[in-house]
Amino acid sequence: MQSYNSFKVAQSQVMAAAKLLNLDQATLDLLLWPQREFAFTLPVRMDGGEIKILHGYRIQHNFARGPAKGGIRFHPDETIDTVRALAGWMTWKTAVADLPLGGGKGSIACDPRPMSRRELEIISRAYVRALWQHIGVDQDIAATDVYTNPQTMAWMLDEYETITGRHQPGVVTNKPLSLGGSEGRRNATARGGVIAVREACRTNKVDPAGDYAVQGFGNAGQRAAILHRELLGGGSLVAASDSSGAVYNSRGINPMELVNHKLRTGSVLGFPESEAIEPDSLLEMEVAVLYPAALENAINVKNANRIRARIVCELANGPTSPQADDVLFERGIHVIPDILANAGGVTVSYLEMVQNRSSFYWNDTSINKRLDATMMTAYQAVHSASKERKVPPRMGAMLVAVSRVAEACKLRGWV
Ligand code: NAD
């Protein structure tokens, strides 16, 4: 059996959209590949004195609509192909949200979990030293991703500003507030997803006060669990899971109390007044909304026929396999695709860059208002495209994104 390659999946999505859009071959060939790629080695002296050679990547997929934008992961399984796929998805995500940005992604292939704070600081700074001439507010803006956080961004910002000798906080986003971070960034991904759910409930006549379940009770999942009730004015969280297991209560779980329980114990398991259930059964519950917020391929060809949610909001990147996607569409389940559902994060990152450029900072009410407007417009564009072409929302989102990027490439005279 051929192994899963996310870059091949990403390229097949572009090819399918290009076919429906009747794109010419040159434009397709341009969009299938990143415009610039960097692969480099980073020699790092570890605490024990030994030198490790780590592999770093930065992929800048497309610059037609603006500078590349995307996170940096520290993860042992990262390959150049996963980073290529993620960089492309960032191009489509920024285009769906109509932000004046392209797409990029970076990584250092390493397991950061056993590393000391000093080692993490050294690899963060080394990454910037390898790349500083090719990143920046007008070229490529990095952000947090898997196993990187605002502290990583603070070290990267400091290294970049030390080398260039200029104050340029917009070179990275999701910074600590005291270094030019934005209000509202912490909740942005989940808030954007819940806003999309609000619109999906309207268009699909689903009761927003129905039950919901969260697979992957981490950063994005926890915030969505809390914001769902706040923004939709109701709804009952009946199940939540993390890598240790899943809990269920048909009468509802208080999301904030579950967050506190997880903070205390490190797991959702053992939450009072809940029963432990099989994690896979959470995905198959009869709920109004299911939030997959963990990893890729959670909804796949094996369980797609048993999914009973009315709406699936993909907070995670790639949680539904392409075959499962078709099954859900045929069964009338409304999937809010990842490039739309989790676009709230990059939207507020963009607002962070705008604030950094003007050195003028907004409060969270202004940020949330702008995020709401961006998500609503993006949702409507995707909804109209999928209705008009009678295609699943994921293809609707790709049609919107690919046509916007293709138009920018053509106007520049590239193709
Ligand atoms: P996180 O590490 O904080 O949370 C992930 C959670 O998933 C953890 O609680 C983990 O225990 C749980 N998990 C892992 N395997 C599981 C399994 N098999 N079943 C159930 N739970 C499992 O990460 P995050 O930042 O919340 O990101 C989650 C997803 O959302 C990722 O796909 C990420 O790429 C995507 N995403 C996040 C953001 C963001 O701003 N945080 C933005 C865009 C996309």
Side-chain angles (χ1 to χ4, degrees):
M1 206 174 78
Q2 236 191 347
S3 61
Y4 178 85
N5 179 314
S6 43
F7 185 46
K8 292 215 179 326
V9 171
Q11 286 186 313
S12 67
Q13 292 169 342
V14 179
M15 286 190 263
K19 200 169 167 193
L20 282 181
L21 291 166
N22 281 324
L23 280 194
D24 57 278
Q25 191 62 41
T27 307
L28 171 62
D29 289 344
L30 180 66
L31 299 183
L32 284 177
W33 286 93
Q35 286 191 270
R36 284 208 295 197
E37 301 191 339
F38 300 93
F40 42 92
T41 48
L42 300 171
V44 181
R45 187 177 296 278
M46 308 306 280
D47 286 350
E50 81 278 21
I51 294 182
K52 268 198 182 165
I53 309 298
L54 303 180
H55 291 260
Y57 306 101
R58 186 73 190 168
I59 308 290
Q60 296 164 344
H61 177 262
N62 195 281
F63 298 103
R65 290 171 49 89
K69 177 85 190 88
I72 296 172
R73 292 183 168 186
F74 292 171
H75 200 280
D77 300 336
E78 247 17 273
T79 65
I80 195 160
D81 269 356
T82 46
V83 189
R84 282 171 170 156
L86 290 160
W89 284 325
M90 284 306 297
T91 298
W92 314 129
K93 198 178 295 186
T94 54
V96 163
D98 209 4
L99 305 173
L101 296 168
K105 206 75 168 195
S107 83
I108 302 179
C110 67
D111 185 356
R113 285 167 296 184
M115 287 189 195
S116 69
R117 191 179 159 89
R118 189 199 73 91
E119 288 169 340
L120 290 170
E121 177 172 351
I122 285 177
I123 66 171
S124 305
R125 290 185 183 275
Y127 187 85
V128 172
R129 280 200 304 279
L131 273 176
W132 70 275
Q133 284 162 301
H134 310 290
I135 58 173
V137 291
D138 295 316
Q139 291 198 70
D140 181 4
I141 302 100
T144 51
D145 205 286
V146 177
Y147 294 142
T148 54
N149 55 37
Q151 177 61 70
T152 323
M153 295 303 110
W155 289 323
M156 290 188 168
L157 169 65
D158 184 66
E159 190 67 23
Y160 184 78
E161 292 188 339
T162 303
I163 295 170
T164 59
R166 294 173 66 192
H167 183 57
Q168 296 180 70
V171 67
V172 288
T173 61
N174 204 1
K175 297 179 288 289
L177 278 181
S178 51
L179 291 180
S182 178
E183 293 288 351
R185 180 62 185 82
R186 185 171 168 230
N187 284 342
T189 302
R191 182 177 283 274
V194 177
I195 292 166
V197 166
R198 186 188 68 202
E199 298 307 302
C201 285
R202 265 188 216 146
T203 51
N204 293 277
K205 305 207 174 2
V206 173
D207 179 9
D211 292 344
Y212 62 103
V214 176
Q215 186 237 11
F217 205 66
N219 285 323
Q222 291 177 11
R223 310 321 297 175
I226 295 167
L227 287 165
H228 182 103
R229 297 209 312 199
E230 204 177 301
L231 297 183
L232 302 185
S236 187
L237 174 70
V238 289
S241 67
D242 59 18
S243 53
S244 63
V247 289
Y248 169 74
N249 184 338
S250 61
R251 294 188 310 283
I253 292 168
N254 182 312
M256 201 58 229
E257 284 176 17
L258 186 60
V259 169
N260 290 334
H261 172 82
K262 179 154 176 164
L263 269 178
R264 273 195 311 273
T265 65
S267 156
V268 295
L269 289 177
F271 183 68
E273 289 187 38
S274 74
E275 57 176 294
I277 54 165
E278 273 300 310
D280 285 351
S281 66
L282 176 147
L283 295 166
E284 298 167 16
M285 281 180 177
E286 192 167 353
V287 286
V289 184
L290 171 66
Y291 291 96
L295 300 171
E296 304 87 66
N297 213 23
I299 302 176
N300 50 54
V301 76
K302 286 193 196 133
N303 62 7
N305 264 313
R306 297 195 297 272
I307 304 296
R308 288 183 295 162
R310 298 280 315 278
I311 294 170
V312 173
C313 177
E314 294 185 339
L315 287 179
N317 282 314
T320 311
S321 75
Q323 297 97 319
D325 222 15
D326 294 339
V327 176
L328 298 188
F329 184 59
E330 280 158 24
R331 296 184 51 227
I333 295 170
H334 183 82
V335 176
I336 307 173
D338 47 8
I339 59 170
L340 170 64
N342 67 37
V346 72
T347 300
V348 176
S349 273
Y350 163 67
L351 296 176
E352 182 173 329
M353 291 165 56
V354 172
Q355 294 170 87
N356 293 153
R357 268 195 197 273
S358 56
S359 286
F360 182 82
Y361 289 83
W362 299 311
N363 61 21
D364 59 351
T365 312
S366 307
I367 298 284
N368 292 342
K369 218 167 122 184
R370 285 170 207 271
L371 172 61
D372 201 309
T374 302
M375 289 303 301
M376 264 177 58
T377 309
Y379 184 89
Q380 284 313 328
V382 171
H383 180 65
S384 306
S386 51
K387 224 170 120 182
E388 198 178 301
R389 299 280 197 145
K390 298 189 177 48
V391 293
R394 189 180 320 279
M395 179 51 75
M398 283 301 286
L399 292 176
V400 171
V402 172
S403 60
R404 285 177 179 165
V405 178
E407 185 190 354
C409 294
K410 281 194 183 303
L411 286 168
R412 286 175 179 276
W414 290 349
V415 277

